[in-house]
């Protein structure tokens, strides 16, 4: 399958980890508990279907002085880099698939680390945390709470197993060097544009369909789907969350919720991370929900999540949504 039809959401590392991951003992993964009905939207189960074809002929994006051919857009071994002058020179593993090697990182995370809708935001994550998470994927200590592993998780496990140690270190150092930028717009509402699940885990708008009630969930879609499909690194996502979620989430984050362990105690007062602890502010709410539940359910284990087990243990699905909404609304 070619790049625009795969666009697999390669989940690398997300900042839900640890205060001192190096000192924690590795934990063995257990059989995870599947997501509850209230979080089913975060684990969409849909058959694989092709994405729309690119418009015929050469393509360009507003404000970028470059023309890209359809052959370039359809080359999964060499993801298009629309803005090579706006980031450091990437290592080969980020932008090219070596013979017999795994998918290049930029296929889903782009060259700026933000990536396709639903993908993990890698920009500015500590390099050690990224390499640690690659090791967790390889070891089987990081899977999905979905009954059968999500396709994107299976893809990431395969990528992690296909990387050499040098490639993993190079990719981690590259993405750690990139600045973080706002790419999530959180909107509180009772209804949201109608959306359907994609096989790879993200949501797509349903053209001409009436708005749908949120019913306590989250609808997260690309701000501009045609530009996202063309792999525009400047576009982002909009997350529709329940009314009042941001304020409720702020209270939970500040107090620590049932466990009384405030997020700032490890992730910094501004939730932008510190030392080896990854940032939380400005991340995708849908992705945060999955990671919190995956930790709670046992799908994520190992030293990087050891300190998270107590904080998430008594969180309800509604509280997880509220926390994710608040964190997503913060400036990265």
């Amino acid at each position: 399958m070619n790049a625009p039809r795969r666009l697999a959401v390669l989940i690398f590392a997300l900042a839900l980890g640890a205060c001192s991951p190096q000192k924690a003992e590795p934990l063995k993964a257990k059989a995870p508990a599947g997501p509850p009905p209230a979080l089913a939207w975060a684990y969409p189960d849909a058959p694989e279907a092709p994405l729309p074809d690119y418009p015929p002929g050469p393509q360009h994006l507003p404000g970028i002085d470059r023309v890209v051919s359809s052959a370039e857009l359809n080359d999964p071994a060499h993801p298009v880099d629309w803005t090579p002058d706006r980031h450091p020179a990437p290592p080969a593993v980020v932008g090219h698939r070596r013979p017999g090697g795994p998918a290049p990182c930029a296929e889903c995370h782009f060259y700026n680390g933000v990536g396709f809708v639903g993908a993990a935001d890698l920009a500015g994550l500590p390099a050690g945390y990224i390499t640690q998470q690659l090791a967790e994927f390889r070891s089987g200590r990081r899977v999905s709470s979905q009954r059968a592993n999500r396709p994107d998780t299976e893809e990431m496990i395969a990528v992690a197993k296909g990387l050499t140690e040098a490639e993993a270190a190079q990719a981690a150092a590259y993405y750690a060097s990139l600045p973080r930028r706002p790419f999530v717009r959180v909107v509180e509402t009772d209804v949201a544009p109608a959306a359907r699940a994609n096989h790879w885990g993200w949501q797509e708008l349903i053209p001409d369909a009436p708005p749908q009630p949120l019913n306590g969930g989250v609808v997260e879609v690309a701000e501009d789907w045609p530009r996202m499909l063309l792999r525009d690194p400047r576009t982002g996502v909009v997350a529709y969350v329940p009314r009042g979620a941001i304020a409720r989430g702020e209270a939970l984050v500040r107090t620590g919720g049932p466990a009384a362990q405030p997020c700032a105690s490890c992730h910094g007062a501004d939730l932008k991370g510190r030392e080896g602890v990854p940032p939380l502010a400005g991340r995708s709410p849908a992705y945060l929900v999955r990671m919190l539940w995956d930790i709670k359910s046992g799908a994520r284990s190992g030293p990087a999540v050891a300190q998270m087990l107590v904080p998430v243990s008594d969180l309800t699905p509604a509280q997880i949504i509220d926390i994710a909404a608040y964190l997503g609304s913060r400036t990265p």
Side-chain angles (χ1 to χ4, degrees), residues 10 12 92-94 96-98 100-105 130-131 133-135 137-138 155-172 175:
L10 309 183
F12 278 104
V93 65
V94 169
H96 304 281
R97 184 202 299 264
R98 60 175 164 76
C105 310
I130 296 176
T131 55
Q133 290 310 298
L134 289 168
F137 279 119
R138 285 194 299 269
E155 181 76 8
M156 193 57 239
I157 291 170
V159 167
K161 289 181 176 180
L163 291 172
T164 67
E165 292 297 324
E167 288 172 331
Q170 291 164 5
Y175 282 114

Side-chain angles (χ1 to χ4, degrees), residues 49-75:
L51 293 175
D53 291 331
Y54 288 123
Q59 301 298 310
H60 64 88
L61 293 170
I64 296 179
D65 186 19
R66 182 179 179 186
V67 176
V68 174
S69 69
S70 59
E72 289 176 287
L73 287 167
N74 282 282
D75 184 359

Side-chain angles (χ1 to χ4, degrees), residues 18-46:
C19 296
S20 303
Q22 298 86 353
K23 298 180 181 179
E25 292 297 323
L27 301 174
K28 294 183 178 180
K30 62 182 180 180
L39 299 183
W41 57 268
Y43 294 85
D45 185 11

